[in-house]
Amino acid sequence: MNKRRIEIMDTTLRDGEQTSGVSFSVSEKLTLAKLLLEELKVDRIEIASARVSEGELKAVQEITSWAAEKEYLDRVEILTFVDGGVSLEWMEKAGARVQNLLTKGSLNHLTHQLKKTPEEHFGDISKILEQSQKRGIKTNVYLEDWSNGMRNSKEYVFQYLDFLTQQPVERILLPDTLGVLTHTETSGYISEIVQRYPDSHFDFHGHNDYDLGVSNVMEAVKAGCHGIHLTVNGMGERAGNAPMASVVAVINDFLPEVHISVNESSLYKVSKLVSAFTGFGIPANKPIVGDNVFTQTAGIHADGDSKKNLYFNDLLPERFGRKRKYALGKTSGKANIQKNLQELGLTLNDEELKKVTQRIIELGDKKERVTKDDLPYIISDVLNSGDYHQKVFVKSYVLTHSKGLKPSTTVAVEIDGELHEANAQGDGQYDAFMNALRKIYKVKKRDFPKLTDYAVRIPPGSNSDALCETVISWDNNGTEFITRGLDSDQTVSAIKATEKMLNII
Ligand SMILES: CC(C)C(=O)C(=O)O
């Protein structure tokens, strides 16, 4: 089949940065620009608004000088304004070559915000387009509030499009600025426009205020638009933009006539990195990239998966560089436990499995979270069988914290029966503890995993307000795992989680 190609424009670095409380540093913007274009393989990126700040100028300069070397400059876009050419000067200073010019797509915005007539607005735009051409800057044009324009001032929108489609413009960008469209409206408006102007290129830019971002993008694509705007993790103003990962999966699975260049297997990695840079957490149930979305919790699902993959759908985790997991908790049952035991290479007889299941149910009732890596401890505790031999013990430690001096630690650790001691300083008590451990592992020439995430919480409703849970994510030469520690002291709970890690590697 000859597939229709749709351009993907990622605007995480511009509209995504308009998420309240989010700001990327220069080096974060450069890292993400490289990842988006070269690894995720989106077609274009919108990286900044003109005139925002000195920091923004620096970020754009770094990205454009890298993009120039790679011959990607035509794929790097800047939001500019109808401001008599000030944005254009900024763009030139920043080394950028493609502007996305923000103009008015509804009579309401034009009349009440710019207080201009359509003719005056078109006149201002013509002047900008003329200047852009002289400076060698390519132009795409946004029709801000276009969706409300189509609802309430269609005549204006078509008057504007009649003018714009005759101008030196590469693409016309149609935003549902306030995220108000339904999928039927999106479909109707886009098909009307692409039929009326068959020689022009139209992008759809969807927002998610009614949680319809993904379905509206899908309808826009079906109706014939040529490009779509997305952000990683659906970041953006208010409820955000249409999220990259979900839209890519929807297009690949439900629109076989469409081709996009995005590399599915990088979606999760990029999502994690954006979350780390922004501190904007990914909801655990967010499709494709959320922590829980490939985890089966109900025992009946794990049982069905073992029989004939009965609970699989086309969203196989491996497509996105992820793995299916089987949760352990009060609803998980024996089948889930068996799946986790298999992964750990452990076997239990029926009686043992029953006892371990019972303990996991009890822990679930107390709202305690149990992970695969907790299983050996639970087994050893419940069965007291000696099957599980703890090989590393944190025997003793001194943690100091004093005003004006760096925190320091002395640690004694027993590894395979041998006692090792080290001391170290750090930025905090736990950091000092980890530095001391690293010294021991270096002397022993043993691998020491990288800590990739550290989260502390008070387990809710556990009747243990004094308890603190630390959940640490580790990466051991590409193998990722999580350990937990529970204690009334936060540092001690982290040390307990770390001792578990030492027994897993
Ligand atoms: C700034 C504009 C282009 C925008 O993001 C929107 O209208 O949604």
Side-chain angles (χ1 to χ4, degrees), residues 14-15 79 102 142 144 175 177 205 207:
R14 197 280 297 169
D15 216 347
L79 182 73
L102 188 68
Y142 270 116
E144 194 187 14
T177 299
H205 175 109
H207 276 275

Side-chain angles (χ1 to χ4, degrees), residues 243-362:
M244 173 74 70
S246 310
V247 169
V248 167
V250 162
I251 292 182
N252 286 341
D253 290 0
F254 299 133
L255 303 178
E257 72 282 9
V258 170
H259 172 72
I260 50 173
S261 57
V262 172
N263 186 2
E264 276 191 343
S265 61
S266 299
L267 285 167
Y268 182 57
K269 174 177 173 185
V270 176
S271 156
K272 280 281 198 204
L273 195 64
V274 168
S275 173
F277 283 172
T278 57
F280 185 70
I282 309 164
N285 61 352
K286 187 146 187 89
I288 316 296
V289 292
D291 274 352
N292 288 354
V293 298
F294 296 115
T295 301
Q296 307 277 42
T297 305
I300 190 171
H301 292 177
D303 178 62
D305 288 354
S306 300
K307 294 191 172 138
K308 209 169 180 291
N309 293 342
L310 290 180
Y311 291 87
F312 281 20
N313 59 20
D314 286 343
L315 288 176
L316 295 177
E318 291 72 18
R319 277 173 59 183
F320 310 101
R322 304 194 62 186
K323 266 174 89 180
R324 190 169 305 281
K325 290 185 193 159
Y326 295 89
L328 296 169
K330 58 181 177 180
T331 59
S332 51
K334 285 187 202 146
N336 278 34
I337 297 170
Q338 287 284 31
K339 289 268 187 195
N340 283 279
L341 289 171
Q342 267 164 22
E343 268 200 48
L344 292 167
L346 299 174
T347 38
L348 295 180
N349 64 34
D350 286 352
E351 193 48 36
E352 290 168 337
L353 188 60
K354 210 161 135 192
K355 286 188 190 161
V356 170
T357 309
Q358 190 49 39
R359 170 59 62 88
I360 289 172
I361 292 171
E362 283 161 20

Side-chain angles (χ1 to χ4, degrees), residues 41-113:
K41 296 193 185 302
V42 301
D43 297 287
R44 298 147 45 206
I45 52 175
E46 187 178 49
I47 59 169
S49 302
R51 299 167 27 193
V52 162
S53 69
E54 275 305 302
E56 199 72 332
L57 180 64
K58 177 119 190 9
V60 177
Q61 282 167 337
E62 297 238 343
I63 295 172
T64 54
S65 54
W66 165 78
E69 265 172 44
K70 295 277 188 169
E71 299 187 4
Y72 294 158
L73 268 184
D74 282 352
R75 298 166 63 190
V76 175
E77 304 174 1
I78 308 289
L79 182 73
T80 58
F81 307 95
V82 183
D83 54 9
V86 186
S87 291
L88 291 176
E89 273 166 32
W90 193 93
M91 275 197 60
E92 245 172 18
K93 211 159 138 197
R97 246 187 14 213
V98 184
Q99 69 170 330
N100 293 342
L101 180 66
L102 188 68
T103 71
K104 292 302 185 188
S106 74
L107 198 53
N108 203 21
H109 269 221
L110 179 64
T111 318
H112 297 291
Q113 199 169 40

Side-chain angles (χ1 to χ4, degrees), residues 430-458:
Y430 180 65
D431 188 46
F433 173 84
M434 289 292 278
N435 287 340
L437 270 188
R438 277 192 200 97
K439 277 189 186 171
I440 293 171
Y441 274 68
K442 197 163 173 195
V443 170
K444 291 219 52 142
K445 294 194 173 39
R446 288 205 178 192
D447 281 349
F448 198 81
K450 215 166 95 192
L451 186 157
T452 54
D453 195 28
Y454 179 106
V456 182
R457 67 168 202 152
I458 308 283

Side-chain angles (χ1 to χ4, degrees), residues 453-474:
D453 195 28
Y454 179 106
V456 182
R457 67 168 202 152
I458 308 283
S462 54
N463 295 330
S464 53
D465 290 354
L467 278 184
C468 165
E469 182 190 55
T470 304
V471 180
I472 308 183
S473 306
W474 309 93

